[in-house]
Amino acid sequence: MRKIIAGNWKMNGKLENLLEIKKISNEFARSKIEIIICPPFTLLSAASELAKNVYIGAQNLHPENEGAFTGEISANMLVDLGITHSIIGHSERRNKHNETNEIVARKVKISLEKKLQTIICIGETELQRKENSTLEILEQQLLDSLANNTNFEKLIVAYEPIWAIGTGLIPEVSEISKIHDFIRVRLVELYGSNASNIPLLYGGSVNGSNAPEIFNVNNVNGALVGGASLSFEKFAPIIRAIENTSP
Ligand code: PEP
């Protein structure tokens, strides 16, 4: 199974921050880990020119290839730049930009069609967790967000409990384990045995201290990292932690 560490810079980063990508590239030049950094659109071109052994991904894309969509960026344009990965359906896009599962499904479809490695995010709110409906919510998000897609060769699923994003809170390791096992089983039941190769990432307040125990969980194949991906000093220990887990 691939091991993946993806960094989501969100709306952070200026030209000077490209240095962090350079440092990660230099430090992990021979790493076997699939390291992905998703800076804002403004840095994609420069980042992909300087990154070596680090993939550069987009945080979003439009579900159409081209046309009268002011301010939007298409999968075609990303591929043209040499971008290899995308993040689709992050909870901030779902909640702050009104992205429904239907929109997410259209984005996933075009992203996969354009052969981008596509990280689809799913996760429950604090209230849904308290109501014990996490598994139900995740299953519905998977079903609806992947609707009309049949080829999952380039799909990556990120489980990101919304209450854990940027809060410093993480679920108990046993909870992460139970949920990742559930996602794996449902993916295989829904989409067949090939789904056993879909990497499953955990996301939400991952840092250098909690990463080792998270990466030891069965069916956790990596992490999607927000805040701690912005600097070499915080991101590098997370990559080292997964390098140190057994194959
Ligand atoms: C995220 O936004 O996907 C995320 C996991 O953020 P953080 O690591 O800062 O919680």
Side-chain angles (χ1 to χ4, degrees):
M1 179 64 84
R2 290 147 65 195
K3 290 182 182 179
I4 299 174
I5 300 294
N8 173 13
W9 282 16
K10 311 190 185 192
M11 198 171 72
N12 297 294
K14 296 196 286 189
L15 287 172
E16 63 192 24
N17 302 99
L18 290 168
L19 185 60
E20 305 305 318
I21 299 179
K22 206 170 184 174
K23 287 194 217 162
I24 291 286
S25 271
N26 291 341
E27 179 77 10
F28 296 99
R30 274 175 291 282
S31 179
K32 299 260 185 314
I33 306 303
E34 189 170 326
I35 303 167
I36 309 155
I37 297 181
C38 303
F41 283 133
T42 49
L43 297 182
L44 286 179
S45 183
S48 51
E49 269 170 38
L50 69 81
K52 293 192 180 52
N53 205 32
V54 169
Y55 296 97
I56 300 299
Q59 300 170 21
N60 181 33
L61 49 79
H62 192 274
E64 300 291 331
N65 269 325
E66 60 198 1
F69 301 101
T70 303
E72 295 290 335
I73 311 280
S74 72
N76 256 347
M77 295 167 176
L78 296 170
V79 171
D80 192 40
L81 273 190
I83 301 306
T84 50
H85 291 65
S86 68
I87 300 175
I88 307 287
H90 190 281
S91 59
E92 287 153 16
R93 298 237 32 112
R94 292 176 184 266
N95 299 332
K96 298 179 182 167
H97 299 272
N98 303 319
E99 280 191 15
T100 59
N101 280 333
E102 191 253 328
I103 294 173
V104 172
R106 287 174 57 211
K107 291 186 173 192
V108 169
K109 188 168 172 57
I110 198 116
S111 183
L112 292 174
E113 275 171 13
K114 294 296 164 192
K115 310 258 181 291
L116 291 167
Q117 296 282 345
T118 303
I119 303 173
I120 158 99
C121 303
I122 56 172
E124 82 286 2
T125 64
E126 191 175 7
L127 181 64
Q128 289 163 338
R129 179 176 186 239
K130 281 194 180 129
E131 290 172 346
N132 272 328
S133 49
T134 299
L135 299 183
E136 220 173 286
I137 295 292
L138 296 179
E139 173 154 15
Q140 201 57 48
Q141 283 179 342
L142 273 180
L143 273 170
D144 294 349
S145 307
L146 299 179
N148 305 321
N149 287 291
T150 47
N151 186 349
F152 296 122
E153 206 188 310
K154 297 202 182 299
L155 187 76
I156 299 163
V157 173
Y159 166 56
E160 297 211 305
I162 296 170
W163 54 270
I165 293 179
T167 59
L169 303 170
I170 61 165
E172 295 290 330
V173 167
S174 58
E175 209 175 330
I176 297 178
S177 174
K178 183 180 123 194
I179 291 172
H180 277 243
D181 286 351
F182 171 79
I183 295 171
R184 171 71 68 220
V185 167
R186 289 307 286 137
L187 281 171
V188 170
E189 282 170 3
L190 291 166
Y191 305 112
S193 57
N194 283 346
S196 57
N197 295 323
I198 296 175
L200 303 185
L201 312 185
Y202 167 77
S205 296
V206 176
N207 58 40
S209 310
N210 60 28
E213 58 173 354
I214 294 173
F215 296 147
N216 272 327
V217 174
N218 194 29
N219 279 321
V220 172
N221 311 117
L224 178 54
V225 183
S229 70
L230 289 167
S231 71
F232 172 83
E233 281 67 28
K234 290 186 175 162
F235 200 38
I238 298 174
I239 302 170
R240 284 192 202 106
I242 201 161
E243 281 184 329
N244 292 335
T245 57
S246 47

